[in-house]
Amino acid sequence: MTKYSAVILGAGGRGRTHIRAFLANSDRFELVAACDRDKPRMEDALKEENLSLPIYTDADEMLAKTKPDVFCFVTQPDVRIEMVRLGATHGVKAIAFEKPMAITLDEATRIESICREADIKATVCHQHKYAGHWQKVKEIVDSGQIGQIRTIHATARGWYWYYITHIVNYAMWLADFPKAKWIVGHTHGRDLLLDSHPSPDYVMGQVGFDSGVRMIFECGPLAPCLGCPDNIWVDAGAIVHGTEGFAEVIVGKGWRAMTKESGGKVIADPNFSLEQHNETDHYITALADWLDDDKKPHPCNVTNALHGYEICMGMLISSLDHRTVVPPVDRSVPVLERLRHELPAEPFTPEDPSC
């Protein structure tokens, strides 16, 4: 196995998680430098891990001087295309970055094109699929124990652009990444459209895939409460309905299923603990595996992420145009501007009373 050099940009919470993930994979990666505009913040982040690295405040300079194999950056979505261009300019082999890919579908499409044309193995951090309860549900689905997949209903009570690409990506992964044939959506509320991840208050959509599977997505306070009312960021999950049973995962509670083998009984893991799962560590391990072997593509690869992002934008465009959207989704539509101008002001978005 080859050991790859890596650099990290960003010393916020997720940036520190990635630092720890590279250290957990020290047999596969060597962190050689770090970057943040706030140098003391990065100094604190490295001190937490007893790590001594050169610290830069300019990503271009860091990449030029260190010439790493892997560029990992954790930024706000509006600067991601700029960082991807930098990585391509400096000839990195791989780029790992956070979701959502960008602010617009056009930018997301250009990011995928830059990586493909530069032969960069790029991943978008949809890391929850590496947690044990997601892996268990995937195992059940793949084993055929719930029969043929009919529908997947994936929900999150966090707001749209913080969470939607996660649940779309995981639902598609559970179904082996089919291609969308049609997309419909509903949106309302504009209070969160000025956020760093500008989002409608609530979005609901349905997507039909070429495999025959239908998927339903919900994001926002009207999404169902899954039993974690005190923390919207883990009150999310997906339920897969098959011809002979179901399997469900809830981010903050674990998994449960009814399968052919369970004889009509619901089975679950009674010892689930969210703290047991080092999701980002496994996500980074899979990047090393892909760098070693082209035949082991990362499930979070940028091409899969782009199709998920296209679906997310399709639901918004469907709601604005009051029509079914058929991919490829028109990337010239100014979705954010239209949401800001066309969504009516909502004085109140009620929450699911079950919470």
Side-chain angles (χ1 to χ4, degrees), residues 48-200:
E48 284 181 2
E49 306 302 328
N50 296 313
L51 192 59
S52 177
L53 294 176
I55 299 175
Y56 296 83
T57 56
D58 180 81
D60 193 12
E61 180 186 6
M62 175 179 68
L63 291 166
K65 290 186 175 179
T66 61
K67 302 187 185 308
D69 297 315
V70 179
F71 179 29
C72 176
F73 61 87
V74 185
T75 67
Q76 294 297 339
D78 58 346
V79 299
R80 288 183 185 146
I81 191 168
E82 177 187 349
M83 294 298 104
V84 169
R85 286 195 184 109
L86 277 179
T89 297
H90 291 284
V92 301
K93 295 177 180 177
I95 293 175
F97 62 105
E98 282 289 309
K99 54 78 206 162
M101 292 177 66
I103 293 293
T104 69
L105 180 57
D106 181 62
E107 279 194 357
T109 304
R110 284 186 283 145
I111 284 172
E112 193 273 342
S113 296
I114 292 167
C115 294
R116 177 166 30 83
E117 291 167 8
D119 197 25
I120 293 170
K121 293 178 176 177
T123 61
V124 180
C125 194
H126 295 120
Q127 78 282 3
H128 293 322
K129 67 169 68 73
Y130 290 98
H133 47 335
W134 285 96
Q135 291 286 321
K136 181 62 179 180
V137 167
K138 176 65 170 168
E139 175 190 321
I140 292 170
V141 170
D142 286 351
S143 72
Q145 280 299 307
I146 63 168
Q148 183 179 351
I149 300 174
R150 289 287 181 82
T151 63
I152 301 177
H153 186 187
T155 67
R157 291 200 302 120
W159 51 95
Y160 197 68
W161 283 119
Y162 275 98
Y163 229 122
I164 186 62
T165 66
H166 274 300
I167 62 174
V168 169
N169 183 268
Y170 305 150
M172 293 171 65
W173 167 68
L174 288 169
D176 293 329
F177 290 105
K179 298 298 182 185
K181 292 182 66 178
W182 54 264
I183 305 162
V184 294
H186 160 82
T187 62
H188 72 256
R190 61 187 187 189
D191 286 352
L192 297 171
L193 289 173
L194 296 177
D195 186 78
S196 63
H197 292 58
S199 305

Side-chain angles (χ1 to χ4, degrees), residues 298-319:
H298 201 298
C300 299
N301 69 71
V302 73
T303 302
N304 286 341
L306 175 61
H307 189 44
Y309 190 94
E310 181 183 35
I311 288 168
C312 298
M313 280 296 187
M315 289 190 280
L316 299 179
I317 293 171
S318 170
S319 73

